[in-house]
Structure formats: structure tokens, C-alpha cells
Amino acid sequence: MALRNITVRGSEILTKKCKPIKAITPRIRELAEDMVETMIAADGVGIAAPQVGVMKRFFVAMPHVDSEDEAIREKIYYMINPEITYREGTQESSEGCLSVPGYMGLVDRPEKIRIKATDLDGNEQEYEFEGFAATVFCHEYDHLDGILYSDIAKEMMTVEEYSERLEALKEEHAEEKAE
Ligand code: NI
């Protein structure tokens, strides 16, 4: 396994539509391992192939980071040629991206999705996600069409501004409780 370089905003690679994967070759398996290693090393919850310079419709995600169950928390989804087949509701998500370092943004995403994809063993799978996990899969899926969350965000802010806002919200909440 090896760490790969993460492409950042400004590179044309991140603006292009990726091509389907035709066969799960040893090279694709190696790419999958490297993407997982790169994602974990960068403290991300998902990474798409174009972010490491490979223009293929493939991403990996680890969306259950807050689960109390270790097996669920560490579950990695391998999404080859994914397709979102159903969207329901709306939620406002706070997002960051390994390709847009230093920023956060507010994005409207579906509350619930169904997504199908081929896994690393070549089996077609269909999943249903809601809440945070749904936003992760929508975010990664967009990368395959050359869309960054910063392209569709309602509002962008620096990581510092975002933490200040969170702090302010916490204080407000604490004051409310004290009253
Ligand atoms: Ni991203």
C-alpha cells in the first residue's frame, strides 16, 4: 500500500467527468487500498479516484465514524460505478473536502438516498443511507462528475470561522439552558 498525493482545488482533474471502470483488475484493487490508506492518513471519511488523479468512477467511504459499534465504525464501502437511484427530503450539511483544505461550507443535500454500486468482489450492491452518511455519499458521488461541494455550497467559510461559529452556538445553547 502507498499514500497517494491528493489533488487540490484549482486542478482541472477535479472538474472533469470520470469514466466507468470496466474490470476489477489488480491495478484497481491496488488503487482501492491506496485510496483507503490516503483517506485515513488525511483524517477523511471519503475519497474519490479523481482526488488521487485517477479519472474513474470509483470512491471509498467510511461514513459511520460516530457509531458506538466498532465494526460499523470501521466499515469501508467500495463504490465502483455508483449510481444514486433515489433521493428523499433535504438537510443542510456542513462539509469539508480533502481537495479543498482549510474551508468548510453549508450544502443542501437529500436527507435520505439509495445508491447502488459494484463492490471490489464484482458484486452489485444497493445501500440506503440517511443523515451524515447520505451527505458523504452524495459528496463523493459528485466528485465523479467533476463537482466540488464548494461549487454548490450556499455558504463557504474558513475552518477557523466555522469553529468560531460552533463555539458561539454552544455558548448560546449553554445560556439558554442556564436561563
Ligand atoms: Ni471531497
Side-chain angles (χ1 to χ4, degrees):
M1 292 215 284
L3 288 179
R4 304 227 181 173
N5 286 329
I6 298 175
T7 306
V8 294
R9 181 162 63 156
S11 164
E12 221 183 298
I13 287 176
L14 294 173
T15 66
K16 292 194 167 151
K17 220 173 149 85
C18 295
K19 298 236 159 62
I21 287 178
K22 288 191 191 120
I24 302 164
T25 58
R27 221 174 148 161
I28 293 294
R29 289 173 185 280
E30 193 186 330
L31 169 68
E33 283 186 10
D34 290 355
M35 281 166 60
V36 168
E37 195 180 339
T38 304
M39 169 182 75
I40 291 172
D43 222 2
V45 292
I47 194 167
Q51 291 182 275
V52 294
V54 179
M55 305 307 293
K56 299 282 188 201
R57 302 192 75 80
F58 174 43
F59 68 78
V60 298
M62 229 176 135
H64 305 303
V65 279
D66 290 332
S67 174
E68 277 166 25
D69 184 320
E70 195 181 336
I72 295 175
R73 202 167 52 234
E74 292 180 354
K75 170 141 178 76
I76 295 165
Y77 295 84
Y78 295 87
M79 308 293 284
I80 295 168
N81 302 334
E83 199 182 321
I84 296 176
T85 55
Y86 177 78
R87 295 172 168 85
E88 186 187 309
T90 316
Q91 60 175 322
E92 183 185 83
S93 69
S94 310
E95 298 183 21
C97 178
L98 299 178
S99 293
V100 190
Y103 287 88
M104 293 287 292
L106 302 179
V107 188
D108 281 334
R109 297 283 189 192
E111 169 59 34
K112 201 173 180 180
I113 62 159
R114 273 205 289 275
I115 182 167
K116 61 178 187 184
T118 302
D119 66 19
L120 263 191
D121 297 319
N123 299 315
E124 182 144 310
Q125 309 276 0
E126 190 165 26
Y127 312 92
E128 199 169 290
F129 296 107
E130 54 183 41
F132 178 71
T135 70
V136 171
F137 282 81
C138 289
H139 175 121
E140 298 309 329
Y141 182 83
D142 277 353
H143 273 299
L144 310 183
D145 287 329
I147 300 165
L148 294 177
Y149 83 92
S150 48
D151 299 332
I152 56 170
K154 298 191 288 189
E155 195 182 337
M156 288 293 291
M157 59 200 110
T158 64
V159 167
E160 290 76 23
E161 285 164 345
Y162 180 73
S163 344
E164 277 166 24
R165 198 182 287 201
L166 270 189
E167 276 308 308
L169 275 178
K170 261 190 225 157
E171 269 169 38
E172 247 175 60
H173 193 69
E175 275 167 27
E176 269 169 30
K177 266 193 178 163
E179 273 166 17

